[in-house]
Amino acid sequence: MDEKRKISIIGSTGSIGTQALEVIEKLQDKFEIISLAGGSNVDLLKQQAEKFKPKYIYAAKPISVEGIKTLSSLDEIAENKENDIILVACSGKIGLKPTLKAIENGIDIALANKETLVMAGDIVMKKAKENGVNIIPVDSEHCAIHQCIKDISQVNKLIITASGGPFLHKTVEDMKNATVEQTLKHPRWNMGKKITVDSATLMNKGLEIIEAHHLFGFDYDDIEVVVHPQSIVHSAIEYVDGSVIAQLGLPSMHIPIQYAITYPERYEGIKSRSFSFAEIARLDFEKPDFEKFPTVKLAYKAGKMGGTATACLNAANEEAVFAFLDGKIKLYQIYQITKTIFDNYKIIQNPTIEEIFEEDKNIREQTKKYIENLLNN
Ligand code: NDP
Ligand code: MG
């Protein structure tokens, strides 16, 4: 990168967003920040704006910082062709619209927000291709696969690793009685609340299978999940000749974030220490227990059905996760609720983006109503 790369971050106040700013701080001479955007943590966004001096800011709540223009929507960030790349690191469905807008404007995407592909992967990937836009995955498993692939036509299958979350070797009974606090204590990764709950139910892996299908164009039968508690092997691919290429590294999101925003260059950046196989000593792998974690099966099913099935899965799951975080339901009910809503859902094939948003809204309302009924009975 000779010239500074012009970047905007949507969700700069979140787990991925703040780590991205740590990466950028280390690589100050490589980046110019065009805009920073957050939701309701206006104090942190202000601090970030004062420190990093972007041209524009946006927050879901009123905000003003001297000398910096406040924008009125995420779309305004996504439409600004000053950007070379936009890091989409907000959580949930709000990532989808600005991602599409940025793609239409020919701006490359570093994509952390997995809901974007789960909701509308077909449309997003098609648009990216039409507009010659790169979508570089930040999610560590997909970033790993992106780094392993040399000739995608010769790859046989994708192997996605899963840490297994906090309940990997706990009993189903333990999981039934899990508190919000226990669920939010992830053994390997420090992440936002929604994705941490998804990691505990393994729905996160389910969403990642769908994400991988869209990013790399693989059939669901050629995407495998393996549990790997140490989170050192971030994922792997198998070539037709049986050769397996994996990407390894210490579990830190700084590495995939930096890879995605500097691609195809590599820099020393924030890397803290050198990797040592001897220090790690052992790597374990095991088959995922789909009986204990049925969410993964449901995600495969939704993915194979296509159309709005995965948008339905995403919306029902997200609302159930919110109800769990609000203390309304138990952890195991997230799956039960999601499955009930999913089983009663009529899929639309080849949906337009408007239909996806409409369905997303309907499913969320249905899920909320269903949860209210559960609570009242
Ligand atoms: P967080 O909950 O930590 O952060 C979410 C971010 O989105 C915050 O900056 C939040 O702002 C912002 N936001 C919320 N509402 C709005 C809005 N209306 N407009 C603009 N910004 C908004 O989540 P994570 O960083 O953990 O995850 C972000 C995405 O990345 C998710 O899709 C997740 O699945 C994915 N991901 C995360 C990983 C991780 O390690 N954390 C790993 C792989 C993928 P505020 O806080 O100010 O309200
Ligand atoms: Mg991941």
Side-chain angles (χ1 to χ4, degrees), residues 213-271:
H213 162 82
H214 290 296
L215 279 169
F216 305 110
F218 276 70
D219 285 346
Y220 284 94
D221 288 332
D222 299 326
I223 306 172
E224 206 174 278
V225 175
V226 65
V227 172
H228 168 49
Q230 292 96 346
S231 297
I232 296 292
V233 177
H234 298 306
S235 279
I237 61 174
E238 184 190 67
Y239 278 96
V240 285
D241 61 1
S243 197
V244 174
I245 313 283
Q247 186 260 346
L248 284 72
L250 296 171
S252 156
M253 283 308 294
H254 286 130
I255 300 173
I257 292 169
Q258 182 173 308
Y259 174 86
I261 63 176
T262 62
Y263 178 82
E265 307 295 331
R266 289 191 187 257
Y267 304 102
E268 188 166 336
I270 204 164
K271 182 189 73 155

Side-chain angles (χ1 to χ4, degrees), residues 4 15 64 76 91-92 147 155 172 194 215 239 250 282 307 340 349-351:
K4 284 192 175 186
S15 159
S64 85
E76 272 187 272
S91 53
Q147 295 183 57
V155 178
V172 173
K194 189 301 175 150
L215 279 169
Y239 278 96
L250 296 171
R282 62 181 279 181
T340 306
Q349 289 297 346
N350 302 311

Side-chain angles (χ1 to χ4, degrees), residues 11-16 38-41 58 60 74 89-91 94 112-115 139 191-192 195 253:
S12 64
T13 50
S15 159
I16 294 286
S40 51
N41 193 347
Y58 165 84
L74 292 175
C90 51
S91 53
I94 40 170
N113 178 264
K114 56 189 83 186
E115 293 84 351
D139 208 346
M191 310 176 285
I195 181 175
M253 283 308 294

Side-chain angles (χ1 to χ4, degrees), residues 55-273:
K55 280 190 171 175
Y56 312 101
I57 48 171
Y58 165 84
K61 282 191 172 169
I63 186 169
S64 85
V65 179
E66 219 190 297
I68 298 174
K69 190 173 174 205
T70 302
L71 300 177
S72 56
S73 74
L74 292 175
D75 280 358
E76 272 187 272
I77 293 181
E79 280 163 357
N80 182 355
K81 290 191 180 176
E82 280 175 275
N83 288 298
D84 296 314
I85 187 163
I86 296 181
L87 170 61
V88 183
C90 51
S91 53
K93 65 171 176 176
I94 40 170
L96 177 52
K97 264 194 190 151
T99 302
L100 282 171
K101 266 269 148 56
I103 293 172
E104 282 161 11
N105 285 284
I107 301 163
D108 284 343
I109 305 287
L111 188 63
N113 178 264
K114 56 189 83 186
E115 293 84 351
T116 291
L117 292 175
V118 174
M119 287 176 73
D122 288 332
I123 295 174
V124 170
M125 294 311 290
K126 185 162 169 260
K127 273 218 167 134
K129 205 167 175 196
E130 284 167 5
N131 288 281
V133 161
N134 287 315
I135 297 189
I136 318 295
V138 170
D139 208 346
S140 59
E141 297 77 6
H142 308 78
C143 184
I145 292 170
H146 194 269
Q147 295 183 57
C148 294
I149 290 176
K150 204 159 142 203
D151 179 356
I152 201 163
S153 70
Q154 299 192 40
V155 178
N156 212 14
K157 67 172 180 187
L158 309 181
I159 305 164
I160 297 183
T161 53
S163 73
F167 303 114
L168 175 61
H169 293 134
K170 297 267 161 62
T171 62
V172 173
E173 214 41 46
D174 287 336
M175 263 185 87
K176 275 204 167 170
N177 299 317
T179 62
V180 171
E181 206 195 349
Q182 284 164 338
T183 306
L184 290 181
K185 246 190 220 139
H186 194 276
R188 298 282 165 212
W189 303 98
N190 189 3
M191 310 176 285
K193 284 183 185 171
K194 189 301 175 150
I195 181 175
T196 307
V197 176
D198 283 346
S199 299
T201 62
L202 246 63
M203 180 58 93
N204 183 48
K205 228 24 75 175
L207 300 179
E208 289 183 356
I209 294 161
I210 299 164
E211 201 185 353
H213 162 82
H214 290 296
L215 279 169
F216 305 110
F218 276 70
D219 285 346
Y220 284 94
D221 288 332
D222 299 326
I223 306 172
E224 206 174 278
V225 175
V226 65
V227 172
H228 168 49
Q230 292 96 346
S231 297
I232 296 292
V233 177
H234 298 306
S235 279
I237 61 174
E238 184 190 67
Y239 278 96
V240 285
D241 61 1
S243 197
V244 174
I245 313 283
Q247 186 260 346
L248 284 72
L250 296 171
S252 156
M253 283 308 294
H254 286 130
I255 300 173
I257 292 169
Q258 182 173 308
Y259 174 86
I261 63 176
T262 62
Y263 178 82
E265 307 295 331
R266 289 191 187 257
Y267 304 102
E268 188 166 336
I270 204 164
K271 182 189 73 155
S272 54
R273 61 199 164 100

